[in-house]
Amino acid sequence: MTTAEFSNQFDQLSPKMFGFALKLTQNQEKAKDLMQETALKAYRHREKFKSGTNFRAWVSTIMRNTFINDYRRNKKRQVVNEPIEDFAFALESTTITPNQGEMNLRMEELHGLLDGLSDLYRVPFLMHFRGYEYKEIAAHLDIPIG
């Protein structure tokens, strides 16, 4: 499919595709972003479109998959869209005293995990943690970088 053919077909579908994007996102601005991302992905992979098949279904599938992937990515990330000042109260607790016991438990757990590693992995990790550079670690242990 040539660039002109792609552009022509996509322009004809744009109003219907925007409606589909709006239905998915429930937000005008997010629908515009989804349209733009779909157009970019479809254009990049236009050579994969088989002539004689349903262009609308192909683009709709790209849009749906893009929406699903973005949804999953954002769900994992748990983004907060509020200014940090709104959460300052959580950082400024004056009633809680520091608990060294919790830190000790975490350090014990970390030491236990490190002790569970073989020397092959533990020694380079600890050297890196102590500030050695990759080249220094490789030279000291006589192993290749990486």
Side-chain angles (χ1 to χ4, degrees):
M1 172 180 283
T2 66
T3 302
E5 290 172 339
F6 174 84
S7 181
N8 186 26
Q9 286 191 20
F10 194 85
D11 288 344
Q12 288 176 355
L13 284 179
S14 286
K16 292 178 183 175
M17 295 304 298
F18 184 76
F20 182 54
L22 198 55
K23 182 179 178 184
L24 290 171
T25 61
Q26 303 291 316
N27 181 308
Q28 189 101 11
E29 294 304 313
K30 288 181 182 179
K32 288 178 185 177
D33 291 343
L34 182 58
M35 278 288 293
Q36 188 174 22
E37 195 169 339
T38 300
L40 181 64
K41 285 183 180 181
Y43 180 76
R44 268 194 215 146
H45 301 287
R46 69 185 183 279
E47 71 278 351
K48 293 179 182 177
F49 175 72
K50 296 177 184 169
S51 296
T53 58
N54 190 343
F55 183 76
R56 180 178 177 184
W58 183 71
V59 174
S60 296
T61 301
I62 292 172
M63 180 177 283
R64 180 178 42 93
N65 290 343
T66 301
F67 172 76
I68 290 170
N69 291 339
D70 288 347
Y71 176 80
R72 287 178 180 159
R73 188 179 313 117
N74 290 334
K75 188 176 180 181
K76 284 181 184 176
R77 197 179 319 157
Q78 296 180 354
V79 177
V80 176
N81 292 328
E82 300 291 328
I84 191 67
E85 291 79 24
D86 292 350
F87 298 100
F89 68 90
L91 302 173
E92 299 172 355
S93 178
T94 57
T95 60
I96 298 175
T97 58
N99 185 352
Q100 195 63 32
E102 183 179 349
M103 182 60 71
N104 290 341
L105 286 174
R106 287 184 182 175
M107 290 305 294
E108 284 179 25
E109 183 180 2
L110 283 173
H111 285 290
L113 291 171
L114 285 172
D115 291 340
L117 291 175
S118 68
D119 285 346
L120 178 68
Y121 298 108
R122 185 177 63 241
V123 172
F125 175 79
L126 290 174
M127 288 180 73
H128 178 70
F129 180 74
R130 291 178 183 137
Y132 289 93
E133 294 182 3
Y134 289 125
K135 291 179 183 178
E136 293 173 318
I137 296 169
H140 180 71
L141 298 176
D142 195 30
I143 56 175
I145 293 179

